[in-house]
Amino acid sequence: TLPLEHGAHRIGNRTDADMARWRSQRLGQFIHWGLYAIPGGEWKGKTYNGAAEWIRSWKEMPQQEYDNLYKQFNPVNYQPEEWAQQANDMGAKYMIITTKHHDGFCLWPSKYSKYSVAASPWKKDIIGPMVDAYNKKGIDVYLYFSIIDWNQPDWRAALKTPADSIAYQRFKVFVKNQLTELLQRYPTVKGFWFDGTWDDSWKNDGSFSDELEQYLQRLHPGLIIGSRLRADEKGARHFDSNGRLMGDYEQGWERKLPEKSADVHGNDWEGVMTIPENQWGYNARWAGHIKSSNELIEMLVKSASLGGNFVINFGPKSDGTFRTEEVQRMQEISRWMKINGSAIYGGTDAGFAKQDWGYYIRKSGTDSVYMVVCNVPVSGQLRVKLPAQTTLVNVTSLEKNIISGTPELIGKNEYFIHLDHKNQDAPFVILLQTSKDSRDNSGFEKAKT
Ligand SMILES: C[C@@H]1N[C@@H](c2nc3ccccc3[nH]2)[C@H](O)[C@@H]1O
């Protein structure tokens, strides 16, 4: 391995209580809210085909006009208590809010930037009431912070001249000041979700990202910060030049999920997902495929089955309300989580062989393994192959009328669970009580006699 000064400083997952809490939460809510919600993907009758929060970079958008949108930011229908209630109903255990996206507009009245809510008709702090409302519901809050800041004259994508380096040095002081300010204003937050760290200026400054991460941890012990903040001294991101994960969890799964256990190497990880194909901020016209609640539920289940967290993104409108499709998804997921949440919270990779009908999720540290069935076989029988020396002690379903009869032993440690032929319109859950046993198959025979 290469001698690295600014690579990973820890091998293996964090084992402290803060990280165990994050790991048990499994379902998060991402909120992208800012000036980009005002145009909502359209400008002067033209539709922007990119992600709505990137509209400032669109050739049809005069940047000065975008920058002046702060004069219109006045979310008269913003009700953070309602936001927190609906997130709590959905079953989200943490929330990530954009304090400042790439456009540099701050949703808190920052001492270090004039470009904030303080200059808008709204005037007031947006972040504080949100943190309070979510915390009151028992939901942890993480602060999204973009390193890219198109509003800051000292920001640079790359350092080409000595003048660039002097300006960027000022910019790094500004970044550190804003992050310190956010921790001082909102001490109950559990971590930062960094973004906009792919440019050369940041990638080639691994020592700063390392020092910044350590500074923040000293300032606020226990903070959870993903791998996207970090670069090592050779410009490697997320994984250092020795292939070791930097930060507290793998934060690269954006609009995509790992397929199998081998893809995550036993690391903590988190997937963040849009409901449309690629819109984070509010976009009036959602084009392309819009994920159903069952699709989102299956992604959540898949994430938990692979030992990761799943965060669903919402983009409130400029007035502070949520679009119908997003409210529908929260309500449908809420219904499912109220019945099946026990399979998700505290869930992790069961270490069982994957089957076509769906996913296994182990309640961490126990012999309870949930089967979440997403694909009901026409045969009506679910194949369960237990690892060696594992016996099946009991089988129940979280809802009535799912299973018919007792499991049928079909081979060494292998069973068919027969389903009641009711058609299901959502994934359903079966709970397997297993036990480690030197004898194979000893479980169910006992139950049968
Ligand atoms: C979590 C997501 N990350 C930002 C983003 N910008 C990108 C530019 C290029 C490739 C990927 C990107 N993700 C998106 O705007 C959103 O905030």
Side-chain angles (χ1 to χ4, degrees), residues 170-239:
R170 283 195 301 267
F171 175 73
K172 290 194 290 185
V173 170
F174 161 76
V175 164
K176 193 171 174 181
N177 284 337
Q178 283 205 312
L179 293 172
T180 304
E181 178 181 45
L182 284 167
L183 288 178
Q184 284 164 346
R185 291 181 61 90
Y186 314 112
T188 64
V189 299
K190 297 288 187 176
F192 283 108
W193 204 94
F194 286 103
D195 201 5
T197 56
W198 46 79
D199 291 299
D200 285 352
S201 50
W202 191 265
K203 210 168 72 173
N204 298 335
D205 197 351
S207 62
F208 180 71
S209 71
D210 187 15
E211 282 145 21
L212 179 65
E213 186 180 63
Q214 294 187 49
Y215 164 78
L216 293 171
Q217 280 293 353
R218 278 195 307 274
L219 199 57
H220 202 90
L223 272 187
I224 294 175
I225 298 174
S227 58
R228 198 176 289 201
L229 171 68
R230 296 279 275 103
D232 73 6
E233 56 262 52
K234 298 178 181 306
R237 294 183 59 231
H238 294 283
F239 293 88

Side-chain angles (χ1 to χ4, degrees), residues 100 102-104 146-152 155 171 174 178:
K100 181 179 85 171
H102 309 332
D103 62 9
S146 172
I147 298 296
I148 288 176
D149 185 327
W150 296 323
N151 188 267
Q152 280 297 313
W155 177 75
F171 175 73
F174 161 76
Q178 283 205 312

Side-chain angles (χ1 to χ4, degrees), residues 43-64:
W43 189 256
K44 303 248 191 290
K46 287 200 184 117
T47 299
Y48 172 53
N49 294 323
E53 68 285 356
W54 274 80
I55 196 167
R56 185 182 185 277
S57 65
W58 183 30
K59 64 177 177 16
E60 305 290 334
M61 170 62 81
Q63 290 184 346
Q64 190 56 46

Side-chain angles (χ1 to χ4, degrees), residues 30 32 51 53-54 98 101-102 144 193 195 198 228 254 272 280:
F30 214 149
H32 274 72
E53 68 285 356
W54 274 80
T98 49
H101 203 261
H102 309 332
Y144 168 109
W193 204 94
D195 201 5
W198 46 79
R228 198 176 289 201
E254 176 177 319
V272 291
W280 299 86

Side-chain angles (χ1 to χ4, degrees), residues 16-286:
D16 59 289
D18 289 311
M19 200 69 202
R21 179 186 171 93
W22 177 90
R23 193 176 292 131
S24 72
Q25 294 178 325
R26 292 299 181 226
L27 175 59
Q29 178 190 53
F30 214 149
I31 292 186
H32 274 72
W33 199 33
L35 299 183
Y36 38 78
I38 296 169
E42 295 170 353
W43 189 256
K44 303 248 191 290
K46 287 200 184 117
T47 299
Y48 172 53
N49 294 323
E53 68 285 356
W54 274 80
I55 196 167
R56 185 182 185 277
S57 65
W58 183 30
K59 64 177 177 16
E60 305 290 334
M61 170 62 81
Q63 290 184 346
Q64 190 56 46
E65 291 193 42
Y66 179 93
D67 291 345
N68 281 328
L69 288 173
Y70 76 92
K71 295 175 181 169
Q72 298 176 45
F73 188 74
N74 189 25
V76 292
N77 296 322
Y78 172 49
Q79 298 289 344
E81 308 281 340
E82 285 179 19
W83 289 25
Q85 181 57 53
Q86 73 181 349
N88 195 42
D89 288 347
M90 177 175 85
K93 296 296 182 191
Y94 69 101
M95 185 274 282
I96 306 167
I97 176 63
T98 49
T99 60
K100 181 179 85 171
H101 203 261
H102 309 332
D103 62 9
F105 183 68
C106 303
L107 288 186
W108 82 101
S110 174
K111 286 196 304 253
Y112 301 99
S113 171
K114 291 192 182 62
Y115 198 50
S116 82
V117 282
S120 74
W122 184 254
K123 291 197 185 343
K124 303 182 288 292
D125 180 10
I126 287 282
I127 300 298
M130 200 186 295
V131 173
D132 294 345
Y134 275 77
N135 284 174
K136 224 160 79 182
K137 293 287 177 191
I139 300 174
D140 292 344
V141 174
Y142 288 75
L143 303 181
Y144 168 109
F145 185 90
S146 172
I147 298 296
I148 288 176
D149 185 327
W150 296 323
N151 188 267
Q152 280 297 313
D154 288 338
W155 177 75
R156 295 287 184 282
L159 308 183
K160 297 193 178 76
T161 66
D164 284 346
S165 299
I166 293 166
Y168 195 68
Q169 196 50 45
R170 283 195 301 267
F171 175 73
K172 290 194 290 185
V173 170
F174 161 76
V175 164
K176 193 171 174 181
N177 284 337
Q178 283 205 312
L179 293 172
T180 304
E181 178 181 45
L182 284 167
L183 288 178
Q184 284 164 346
R185 291 181 61 90
Y186 314 112
T188 64
V189 299
K190 297 288 187 176
F192 283 108
W193 204 94
F194 286 103
D195 201 5
T197 56
W198 46 79
D199 291 299
D200 285 352
S201 50
W202 191 265
K203 210 168 72 173
N204 298 335
D205 197 351
S207 62
F208 180 71
S209 71
D210 187 15
E211 282 145 21
L212 179 65
E213 186 180 63
Q214 294 187 49
Y215 164 78
L216 293 171
Q217 280 293 353
R218 278 195 307 274
L219 199 57
H220 202 90
L223 272 187
I224 294 175
I225 298 174
S227 58
R228 198 176 289 201
L229 171 68
R230 296 279 275 103
D232 73 6
E233 56 262 52
K234 298 178 181 306
R237 294 183 59 231
H238 294 283
F239 293 88
D240 71 18
S241 303
N242 291 323
R244 293 195 180 125
L245 182 68
M246 296 183 277
D248 299 321
Y249 62 90
E250 190 187 353
Q251 193 191 350
W253 302 99
E254 176 177 319
R255 295 191 304 114
K256 61 180 190 277
L257 292 179
E259 261 315 302
K260 54 195 184 305
S261 291
D263 296 340
V264 294
H265 319 287
N267 294 321
D268 282 316
W269 63 276
E270 174 195 78
V272 291
M273 194 59 67
T274 51
I275 295 172
E277 281 167 16
N278 185 13
Q279 294 295 336
W280 299 86
Y282 174 69
N283 188 315
R285 191 197 313 267
W286 273 0

